[in-house]
Amino acid sequence: MNTTKMKICSSCESEFSCGDISVEKKCWCNDYPPIFTLSEGGDCLCPTCFKEACEDKIDAYIETINPSNAPKNKAISLPKTNTLIEGIDYYIENGNMVFKTWYHLKRGTCCGNNCRHCPY
């Protein structure tokens, strides 16, 4: 069931593979949070441009979050995934993984460890 296609990124015009490889192995974009509607995104973006667009959209959303509205944020209701994405869920600092605000919002509650980017 190879349904991949070669596409041209609507942002940078680079060529990339898009689509499900098999029933078990879905397209790379399925690892990202489903935060775009088809009308917003235009045509497909390459992995680099798509990640940047996700980071921008998430960063804009996070700007609206404060401790009072964090417990009812929309990230909690998104489908759960075990995949963590560098730049969206975390970054590396001095060899350590630092969880970003989006990761904490997806978890849904404060863990009580005084995390640097805790929105709660």
Side-chain angles (χ1 to χ4, degrees), residues 1-5 7 17-31:
M1 175 195 163
N2 183 339
T3 59
T4 60
K5 302 177 212 169
K7 291 198 163 195
S17 175
C18 179
D20 296 342
I21 295 168
S22 68
V23 173
E24 299 82 29
K25 181 132 176 67
K26 299 292 184 182
C27 184
W28 57 266
C29 68
N30 285 295
D31 290 338

Side-chain angles (χ1 to χ4, degrees), residues 3-4 20 23 28-29 55 62 68 71 73 75 77 79 84 93 96-97 99 104 108 111 116:
T3 59
T4 60
D20 296 342
V23 173
W28 57 266
C29 68
E55 288 172 339
I62 287 170
S68 64
N73 80 84
S77 62
L84 296 178
E93 180 179 87
N96 297 310
M97 185 183 287
F99 292 113
H104 296 292
C111 64
R116 183 184 308 172

Side-chain angles (χ1 to χ4, degrees), residues 46-102:
C46 71
T48 300
C49 292
F50 190 79
K51 181 179 177 186
E52 289 174 6
C54 283
E55 288 172 339
D56 291 346
K57 187 159 185 164
I58 288 169
D59 288 347
Y61 176 69
I62 287 170
E63 296 268 334
T64 70
I65 298 296
N66 59 53
S68 64
N69 67 11
K72 295 181 181 176
N73 80 84
K74 65 182 177 183
I76 297 169
S77 62
L78 294 175
K80 302 300 179 215
T81 176
N82 292 328
T83 304
L84 296 178
I85 301 170
E86 186 172 0
I88 292 179
D89 294 305
Y90 70 96
Y91 59 89
I92 302 296
E93 180 179 87
N94 300 322
N96 297 310
M97 185 183 287
V98 179
F99 292 113
K100 295 179 72 172
T101 304
W102 182 251

